[in-house]
Coordinates of all heavy atoms in Angstrom, one line a residue:
M45 N -66.6 68.5 -13.9 CA -66.0 68.3 -12.6 C -66.1 66.8 -12.0 O -65.2 66.3 -11.5 CB -66.7 69.2 -11.6 CG -66.1 69.3 -10.2 SD -64.5 70.1 -10.3 CE -64.0 69.9 -8.6
K46 N -67.3 66.3 -12.3 CA -67.6 64.8 -11.8 C -66.7 63.9 -12.5 O -66.3 63.0 -12.0 CB -69.1 64.5 -11.9 CG -69.9 65.3 -10.9 CD -71.3 64.7 -11.1 CE -72.3 65.6 -10.1 NZ -73.7 65.1 -10.4
H47 N -66.4 64.2 -13.9 CA -65.6 63.3 -14.6 C -64.2 63.3 -14.2 O -63.6 62.2 -14.1 CB -65.7 63.6 -16.1 CG -67.1 63.6 -16.7 ND1 -67.6 62.2 -16.9 CD2 -68.0 64.4 -17.2 CE1 -68.8 62.5 -17.4 NE2 -69.1 63.7 -17.5
R48 N -63.7 64.5 -13.8 CA -62.4 64.5 -13.3 C -62.2 63.8 -12.0 O -61.3 63.2 -11.7 CB -61.9 66.1 -13.2 CG -61.6 66.8 -14.3 CD -61.0 68.1 -14.0 NE -61.0 69.0 -15.2 CZ -60.8 70.2 -15.1 NH1 -60.6 70.8 -14.0 NH2 -60.7 70.8 -16.2
L49 N -63.1 64.1 -11.1 CA -63.1 63.4 -9.8 C -63.2 61.8 -9.9 O -62.5 61.1 -9.3 CB -64.4 64.0 -8.8 CG -64.4 63.5 -7.5 CD1 -63.0 64.0 -6.7 CD2 -65.6 64.0 -6.8
A50 N -64.1 61.4 -10.8 CA -64.2 60.0 -11.1 C -62.9 59.4 -11.6 O -62.4 58.3 -11.3 CB -65.3 59.6 -12.1
T51 N -62.2 60.1 -12.6 CA -61.0 59.7 -13.1 C -59.9 59.6 -12.0 O -59.2 58.7 -12.0 CB -60.5 60.7 -14.3 OG1 -61.6 60.7 -15.2 CG2 -59.3 60.2 -14.9
I52 N -59.8 60.7 -11.2 CA -58.8 60.6 -10.2 C -59.0 59.6 -9.2 O -58.2 58.9 -8.8 CB -58.8 62.0 -9.4 CG1 -58.3 63.1 -10.5 CG2 -57.9 62.0 -8.3 CD1 -58.4 64.5 -9.9
F53 N -60.3 59.3 -8.9 CA -60.7 58.3 -7.9 C -60.3 56.9 -8.5 O -59.8 56.0 -7.8 CB -62.1 58.3 -7.6 CG -62.6 57.4 -6.6 CD1 -62.2 57.5 -5.3 CD2 -63.4 56.3 -6.9 CE1 -62.6 56.7 -4.3 CE2 -63.9 55.4 -6.0 CZ -63.5 55.5 -4.6
A54 N -60.6 56.7 -9.7 CA -60.3 55.5 -10.5 C -58.6 55.2 -10.5 O -58.3 54.1 -10.2 CB -60.8 55.3 -11.8
L55 N -58.1 56.2 -10.8 CA -56.6 56.2 -10.8 C -55.8 55.8 -9.4 O -55.0 55.1 -9.3 CB -55.9 57.5 -11.3 CG -56.0 57.7 -12.9 CD1 -55.5 59.0 -13.3 CD2 -55.4 56.6 -13.6
I56 N -56.5 56.4 -8.4 CA -56.0 56.1 -7.1 C -56.3 54.7 -6.7 O -55.4 54.0 -6.1 CB -56.7 57.1 -6.1 CG1 -56.1 58.5 -6.3 CG2 -56.4 56.8 -4.6 CD1 -56.7 59.6 -5.5
L57 N -57.4 54.2 -7.1 CA -57.8 52.8 -6.7 C -57.2 51.7 -7.5 O -56.8 50.6 -7.0 CB -59.3 52.7 -6.6 CG -60.1 53.4 -5.6 CD1 -61.5 53.1 -5.6 CD2 -59.6 52.9 -4.2
L58 N -57.1 52.1 -8.9 CA -56.7 51.0 -9.8 C -55.2 51.0 -10.1 O -54.7 49.9 -10.6 CB -57.5 51.2 -11.1 CG -59.0 50.9 -10.9 CD1 -59.7 51.1 -12.3 CD2 -59.3 49.5 -10.4
A59 N -54.5 52.2 -9.8 CA -53.1 52.2 -10.3 C -52.3 51.2 -9.5 O -51.4 50.5 -10.0 CB -52.7 53.6 -10.1
P60 N -52.5 51.0 -8.2 CA -51.6 50.2 -7.4 C -51.7 48.8 -7.7 O -50.9 47.9 -7.6 CB -52.1 50.4 -5.9 CG -52.7 51.7 -5.9 CD -53.3 51.9 -7.3
T61 N -52.9 48.3 -8.4 CA -53.2 46.9 -8.7 C -52.3 46.6 -9.9 O -51.9 45.5 -9.9 CB -54.7 46.7 -9.0 OG1 -55.1 47.5 -10.2 CG2 -55.6 47.0 -7.8
A62 N -51.9 47.4 -10.7 CA -51.1 47.1 -11.9 C -49.7 46.9 -11.4 O -49.0 46.1 -12.1 CB -51.2 48.4 -12.9
I63 N -49.3 47.6 -10.3 CA -48.0 47.4 -9.8 C -47.8 46.0 -9.4 O -46.7 45.4 -9.5 CB -47.7 48.4 -8.7 CG1 -47.7 49.8 -9.4 CG2 -46.3 48.2 -8.0 CD1 -47.6 51.0 -8.3
F64 N -48.8 45.4 -8.7 CA -48.7 44.2 -8.0 C -49.1 43.0 -8.9 O -49.2 41.8 -8.5 CB -49.4 44.0 -6.8 CG -49.1 45.1 -5.7 CD1 -49.8 46.1 -5.4 CD2 -47.8 45.0 -5.2 CE1 -49.4 47.0 -4.4 CE2 -47.4 45.9 -4.2 CZ -48.1 46.9 -3.8
A65 N -49.4 43.2 -10.2 CA -49.9 42.2 -11.1 C -48.7 41.2 -11.4 O -47.6 41.6 -11.4 CB -50.4 42.9 -12.4
A66 N -49.1 39.9 -11.6 CA -48.1 39.0 -11.8 C -47.6 39.1 -13.3 O -48.4 39.5 -14.1 CB -48.7 37.6 -11.6
G67 N -46.4 38.8 -13.5 CA -45.9 38.8 -14.8 C -46.3 37.7 -15.7 O -46.8 36.6 -15.1
F68 N -46.2 37.8 -17.1 CA -46.6 36.8 -17.9 C -45.7 35.6 -18.0 O -44.5 35.8 -18.0 CB -46.7 37.3 -19.3 CG -47.1 36.3 -20.5 CD1 -48.4 35.9 -20.5 CD2 -46.1 35.8 -21.3 CE1 -48.8 35.0 -21.5 CE2 -46.5 34.8 -22.2 CZ -47.8 34.5 -22.3
E69 N -46.3 34.4 -17.8 CA -45.5 33.2 -17.7 C -45.9 32.4 -19.1 O -47.1 32.1 -19.2 CB -45.7 32.3 -16.5 CG -45.3 33.0 -15.2 CD -45.6 32.1 -14.1 OE1 -45.8 30.9 -14.2 OE2 -45.6 32.7 -12.9
R70 N -44.8 32.1 -19.8 CA -45.1 31.4 -21.0 C -45.6 30.0 -20.8 O -45.1 29.3 -19.8 CB -43.8 31.2 -21.9 CG -43.4 32.6 -22.4 CD -42.2 32.5 -23.3 NE -42.4 33.2 -24.5 CZ -42.0 33.0 -25.6 NH1 -41.3 32.0 -25.9 NH2 -42.1 33.9 -26.7
P71 N -46.5 29.5 -21.5 CA -47.1 28.1 -21.4 C -46.1 27.1 -21.9 O -45.5 27.3 -22.9 CB -48.4 28.1 -22.2 CG -48.3 29.1 -23.2 CD -47.3 30.1 -22.5
V72 N -46.0 26.0 -21.2 CA -44.9 24.9 -21.6 C -45.7 23.9 -22.4 O -46.8 23.4 -21.9 CB -44.4 24.3 -20.2 CG1 -43.4 23.2 -20.7 CG2 -43.7 25.3 -19.3
P73 N -45.1 23.7 -23.6 CA -45.9 22.7 -24.4 C -45.8 21.4 -23.8 O -44.8 20.9 -23.3 CB -45.2 22.9 -25.8 CG -43.9 23.5 -25.5 CD -44.0 24.3 -24.2
K74 N -46.9 20.5 -24.0 CA -46.8 19.1 -23.4 C -46.2 18.3 -24.6 O -46.4 18.6 -25.7 CB -48.4 18.7 -23.2 CG -48.9 19.5 -22.2 CD -50.4 19.1 -21.9 CE -51.0 20.0 -20.8 NZ -52.5 19.6 -20.5
P75 N -45.7 17.3 -24.2 CA -44.9 16.3 -25.2 C -46.1 15.6 -25.9 O -47.2 15.3 -25.4 CB -44.1 15.4 -24.3 CG -44.7 15.5 -23.0 CD -45.3 16.8 -22.7
Q76 N -45.8 15.2 -27.1 CA -46.8 14.6 -28.0 C -46.8 13.0 -27.4 O -45.8 12.4 -27.2 CB -46.3 14.4 -29.4 CG -47.4 14.1 -30.4 CD -46.9 14.4 -31.8 OE1 -46.0 15.2 -32.1 NE2 -47.7 14.1 -32.7
T77 N -48.1 12.5 -27.4 CA -48.3 11.1 -26.9 C -48.2 10.2 -28.2 O -48.3 10.6 -29.2 CB -49.7 11.1 -26.3 OG1 -50.7 11.4 -27.3 CG2 -49.9 12.0 -25.2
E78 N -48.1 9.0 -27.7 CA -47.9 7.8 -28.7 C -49.3 7.8 -29.5 O -49.2 7.6 -30.8 CB -47.7 6.5 -28.1 CG -46.2 6.5 -27.5 CD -46.0 5.1 -26.8 OE1 -46.6 4.2 -27.2 OE2 -45.1 5.0 -25.9
T79 N -50.4 8.0 -29.0 CA -51.6 7.9 -29.7 C -51.7 9.0 -30.7 O -52.1 8.8 -31.8 CB -52.8 8.1 -28.7 OG1 -52.6 7.2 -27.7 CG2 -54.1 7.9 -29.4
A80 N -51.3 10.2 -30.4 CA -51.2 11.4 -31.3 C -50.2 11.1 -32.5 O -50.6 11.4 -33.6 CB -50.9 12.6 -30.6
E81 N -49.3 10.3 -32.2 CA -48.2 10.0 -33.3 C -48.8 9.0 -34.2 O -48.7 9.0 -35.5 CB -47.0 9.5 -32.7 CG -46.1 10.6 -32.1 CD -44.8 10.0 -31.5 OE1 -44.5 8.9 -31.7 OE2 -44.1 10.9 -30.8
V82 N -49.6 8.1 -33.7 CA -50.2 7.1 -34.4 C -51.4 7.7 -35.4 O -51.4 7.4 -36.6 CB -50.9 5.9 -33.6 CG1 -51.8 5.0 -34.4 CG2 -49.8 5.2 -32.9
W83 N -52.1 8.6 -34.9 CA -53.1 9.2 -35.6 C -52.4 10.1 -36.7 O -52.9 10.2 -37.9 CB -54.1 10.0 -34.7 CG -55.2 9.2 -34.2 CD1 -55.3 9.0 -32.8 CD2 -56.3 8.7 -34.7 NE1 -56.2 8.1 -32.6 CE2 -56.9 7.9 -33.9 CE3 -56.6 8.5 -36.1 CZ2 -58.1 7.1 -34.1 CZ3 -57.7 7.7 -36.4 CH2 -58.4 7.1 -35.5
F84 N -51.4 10.7 -36.4 CA -50.6 11.5 -37.4 C -50.1 10.7 -38.6 O -50.1 11.0 -39.7 CB -49.4 12.3 -36.6 CG -48.7 13.2 -37.7 CD1 -49.2 14.5 -38.0 CD2 -47.6 12.8 -38.2 CE1 -48.7 15.4 -38.8 CE2 -46.9 13.7 -39.1 CZ -47.4 15.0 -39.4
L85 N -49.7 9.5 -38.2 CA -49.2 8.6 -39.2 C -50.3 8.1 -40.1 O -50.1 8.2 -41.3 CB -48.5 7.3 -38.5 CG -48.2 6.2 -39.5 CD1 -47.0 6.7 -40.5 CD2 -47.7 4.9 -38.6
I86 N -51.4 7.8 -39.4 CA -52.6 7.4 -40.3 C -53.1 8.6 -41.2 O -53.3 8.3 -42.4 CB -53.7 7.0 -39.4 CG1 -53.4 5.7 -38.6 CG2 -55.2 6.8 -40.2 CD1 -54.3 5.2 -37.5
A87 N -53.1 9.7 -40.7 CA -53.5 10.9 -41.6 C -52.6 11.3 -42.7 O -52.9 11.5 -43.8 CB -53.7 12.1 -40.6
S88 N -51.2 11.0 -42.4 CA -50.2 11.2 -43.4 C -50.3 10.1 -44.5 O -50.2 10.6 -45.7 CB -48.9 11.2 -42.8 OG -48.7 12.1 -41.8
V89 N -50.6 8.9 -44.1 CA -50.7 7.9 -45.2 C -52.0 8.1 -45.9 O -52.0 8.0 -47.2 CB -50.7 6.5 -44.5 CG1 -51.0 5.4 -45.5 CG2 -49.4 6.1 -43.9
A90 N -53.0 8.5 -45.3 CA -54.3 8.8 -46.0 C -54.1 10.0 -47.0 O -54.6 9.9 -48.1 CB -55.4 9.1 -45.0
L91 N -53.4 11.0 -46.6 CA -53.1 12.1 -47.5 C -52.3 11.6 -48.6 O -52.6 12.1 -49.8 CB -52.4 13.3 -46.7 CG -52.1 14.5 -47.5 CD1 -53.3 15.1 -48.0 CD2 -51.2 15.4 -46.7
I92 N -51.3 10.9 -48.4 CA -50.5 10.6 -49.6 C -51.3 9.6 -50.6 O -51.2 9.7 -51.8 CB -49.2 9.7 -49.1 CG1 -48.3 10.8 -48.4 CG2 -48.6 9.0 -50.2 CD1 -47.1 10.1 -47.7
A93 N -52.2 8.7 -49.9 CA -53.1 7.9 -50.8 C -54.1 8.8 -51.7 O -54.3 8.5 -52.8 CB -53.8 6.9 -49.8
A94 N -54.6 9.8 -51.0 CA -55.5 10.7 -51.7 C -54.7 11.4 -52.8 O -55.4 11.5 -53.9 CB -56.2 11.6 -50.7
L95 N -53.6 11.9 -52.5 CA -52.7 12.5 -53.6 C -52.5 11.7 -54.7 O -52.5 12.1 -55.9 CB -51.6 13.2 -52.9 CG -51.7 14.4 -52.1 CD1 -50.4 14.8 -51.4 CD2 -52.3 15.6 -52.9
A96 N -52.1 10.5 -54.4 CA -51.9 9.4 -55.5 C -53.2 9.2 -56.3 O -53.1 9.1 -57.7 CB -51.4 8.2 -54.9
A97 N -54.4 9.1 -55.6 CA -55.6 8.8 -56.4 C -55.9 10.0 -57.4 O -56.4 9.7 -58.4 CB -56.7 8.6 -55.3
V98 N -55.7 11.2 -56.7 CA -55.9 12.4 -57.6 C -55.0 12.5 -58.8 O -55.3 12.8 -60.0 CB -55.9 13.7 -56.8 CG1 -55.9 15.0 -57.6 CG2 -57.0 13.7 -55.7
H99 N -53.7 12.1 -58.6 CA -52.8 12.1 -59.6 C -53.2 11.1 -60.8 O -53.1 11.5 -61.9 CB -51.4 11.7 -59.1 CG -50.3 11.6 -60.1 ND1 -49.9 12.6 -60.8 CD2 -49.6 10.5 -60.6 CE1 -49.0 12.2 -61.7 NE2 -48.8 10.9 -61.5
M100 N -53.6 10.0 -60.3 CA -54.0 9.0 -61.2 C -55.2 9.4 -62.0 O -55.4 9.1 -63.3 CB -54.2 7.7 -60.7 CG -53.0 6.9 -60.2 SD -53.0 5.4 -59.1 CE -54.5 4.6 -59.9
L101 N -56.3 10.0 -61.4 CA -57.5 10.5 -62.0 C -57.0 11.6 -63.0 O -57.6 11.6 -64.2 CB -58.4 11.1 -61.0 CG -59.6 10.3 -60.6 CD1 -60.2 10.7 -59.3 CD2 -60.6 10.4 -61.7
V102 N -56.2 12.5 -62.8 CA -56.0 13.6 -63.6 C -55.1 13.0 -64.7 O -55.1 13.6 -65.9 CB -55.2 14.8 -62.7 CG1 -54.5 15.8 -63.7 CG2 -56.0 15.4 -61.8
Q103 N -54.2 12.2 -64.6 CA -53.4 11.7 -65.6 C -54.2 11.0 -66.6 O -53.7 11.0 -67.9 CB -52.3 10.7 -64.9 CG -51.2 10.4 -65.9 CD -50.2 9.4 -65.2 OE1 -50.5 9.0 -64.1 NE2 -49.0 9.2 -65.9
R104 N -55.3 10.4 -66.4 CA -56.1 9.7 -67.4 C -56.8 10.6 -68.4 O -57.0 10.4 -69.4 CB -57.2 8.8 -66.8 CG -56.7 7.6 -66.0 CD -57.9 6.9 -65.4 NE -57.2 5.9 -64.6 CZ -58.1 4.9 -63.9 NH1 -59.3 5.0 -63.9 NH2 -57.5 4.1 -63.2
R105 N -57.0 11.9 -68.1 CA -57.6 12.8 -68.8 C -56.7 13.3 -69.9 O -55.8 13.6 -70.1 CB -58.3 14.0 -68.0 CG -59.4 13.6 -67.0 CD -60.1 14.7 -66.3 NE -61.1 14.1 -65.6 CZ -62.1 14.8 -65.1 NH1 -62.1 16.2 -65.5 NH2 -63.1 14.3 -64.4

């Protein structure tokens, strides 16, 4: 009996809050900064250099 009463009480108090809840708003992505582009360029060049070094190492064997 107490469980039913608690459930009914919770539904009466909490149900209206769901009706007034705000809808989901998608986050807006921020534009990429120039600093981020420079670091991406450095990382890309480093990756290509590492791949070339591995290629040369494997080719010798």
Side-chain angles (χ1 to χ4, degrees):
M45 182 73 180
K46 289 183 181 180
H47 295 288
R48 284 188 194 170
L49 189 59
T51 305
I52 292 171
F53 186 68
L55 286 175
I56 291 172
L57 288 180
L58 298 177
T61 59
I63 295 171
F64 298 116
F68 177 73
E69 294 181 19
R70 296 184 133 208
V72 178
K74 297 179 182 175
Q76 194 167 353
T77 63
E78 291 180 23
T79 307
E81 289 182 7
V82 169
W83 279 111
F84 184 78
L85 174 66
I86 292 170
S88 298
V89 170
L91 177 64
I92 292 170
L95 287 174
V98 169
H99 175 70
M100 288 171 43
L101 252 164
V102 171
Q103 191 176 9
R104 289 183 186 175
R105 291 186 179 201

